[in-house]
Every structure is written in structure tokens, then in C-alpha cells.
Amino acid sequence: MSKVPQTKSERSGARLAVVQALYEMEISGKGTLEALAEFEAFWIGSEVEGITHPPADATFFRDLLRGTVDQQRAIDPVLDKALVKGWPLKRIEAVLRAILRAGAYELMFRRDVPARSAISEYVDVAHSFYEGDEPGLVNGVLDRVARDVRAEELAMPAGRQG
């Protein structure tokens, strides 16, 4: 029984870390391998500058980071389509862009993660960074992505998903 919450918690930690790593990569120009090494060695499960970073499922973190970066050319047009006309992804603030990209990666390429769970998790990540309307924007955009790429799954009642 205690294994499930720990796994969920460690997956949540991986999602938070991947958003931070994607942001760091965009701002600093670091590559994927450098970001993976830095986050695994110094950030995940550590206290940095007075902020405690939660433990994370390392395998899940690696997949999310590599996958989001490797699939960015497939992800960005899907996000542009899901965003309000006149607000392309490139106009979105960098942390929000990282949240949307990681969430879209899970929805598009990690079919083992239920769509509703992925959306909820990234809304929670958005709450870690923002107090305003941004979590609602994340919810709306990722919901539109999910309805586009996982329409059959979302048509099922919430309790019937695998």
C-alpha cells in the first residue's frame, strides 16, 4: 500500500524536475546530457538555495526530459494548435512553455500514463510556480491536446481508464 503513493510522489517529483531542467536548458543553452547530469547530481532530492527539491523517479525523469527534447518538433505544432489564436507557443513565458511541452510529451508519447492524471499532475506543477491564471491555462491547453491525441480514452468514464 505504501508503494503506490511513493511512486506517485516520485513521479510528481520527476515532473517538477523536468520542468525545471527544460527551463534551465532554454535559459542557459545546456544540452540534454548536461542537464540530466546536473539535476540528478545536485537538484533532485536535495536542498538548493533554501528550496527542498523532492525525490524523483530517475528513470521517469530521464525519459521525460529526453523525450520532450527529442520530440519537440512534433510537440510544438500540437501546442500551437491548442493555444488561443494569436498566442503561439513562442510567446508563452519560458516556465509555462516547459510545463506545456512536458505535459504534451506525456499525452502524446506516454500512453501508459492516463491522460487525466497527466493533466492533473502538470496543473499541480503549474501551481508550484504560479498563483494566477496559469494553472487554468495549463489545464485548458493540455485538455485540448488530450482531446486531440487521446479522444477515445477521454470518451471513457474516468474510473474506466487503464
Side-chain angles (χ1 to χ4, degrees):
M1 189 88 166
S2 65
K3 185 110 176 120
V4 173
Q6 180 183 11
T7 302
K8 181 185 182 327
S9 170
E10 288 183 356
R11 281 195 160 202
S12 297
R15 289 179 177 102
L16 181 61
V18 82
V19 166
Q20 292 169 318
L22 288 167
Y23 171 79
E24 175 71 20
M25 289 170 65
E26 184 170 333
I27 298 303
S28 70
K30 290 179 183 169
T32 306
L33 291 177
E34 189 178 359
L36 283 169
E38 180 180 322
F39 271 76
E40 288 181 10
F42 301 112
W43 291 78
I44 294 173
S46 301
E47 185 175 318
V48 180
E49 297 175 6
I51 299 169
T52 302
H53 298 271
D57 177 328
T59 302
F60 193 61
F61 168 73
R62 287 183 206 117
D63 176 74
L64 291 179
L65 186 60
R66 284 187 182 123
T68 302
V69 171
D70 291 348
Q71 297 297 334
Q72 188 173 325
R73 286 183 182 206
I75 292 167
D76 285 3
V78 172
L79 287 171
D80 276 333
K81 182 179 165 193
L83 285 160
V84 175
K85 205 155 198 72
W87 281 95
L89 188 61
K90 65 184 178 193
R91 287 186 68 186
I92 302 290
E93 186 270 329
V95 173
L96 200 50
R97 193 167 42 244
I99 294 168
L100 292 173
R101 282 179 172 149
Y105 170 74
E106 276 197 64
L107 291 169
M108 294 168 68
F109 298 100
R110 289 296 305 249
R111 301 287 174 152
D112 59 310
V113 177
R116 287 179 177 95
S117 296
I119 294 167
S120 176
E121 286 282 331
Y122 285 99
V123 169
D124 289 347
V125 169
H127 279 291
S128 298
F129 294 99
Y130 301 102
E131 295 178 5
D133 296 334
E134 293 86 352
L137 178 108
V138 168
N139 186 55
V141 171
L142 293 181
D143 183 69
R144 283 191 287 280
V145 169
R147 290 183 188 287
D148 188 34
V149 302
R150 294 205 199 176
E152 283 183 19
E153 178 185 336
L154 291 180
M156 289 187 282
R160 307 273 329 242
Q161 296 176 25

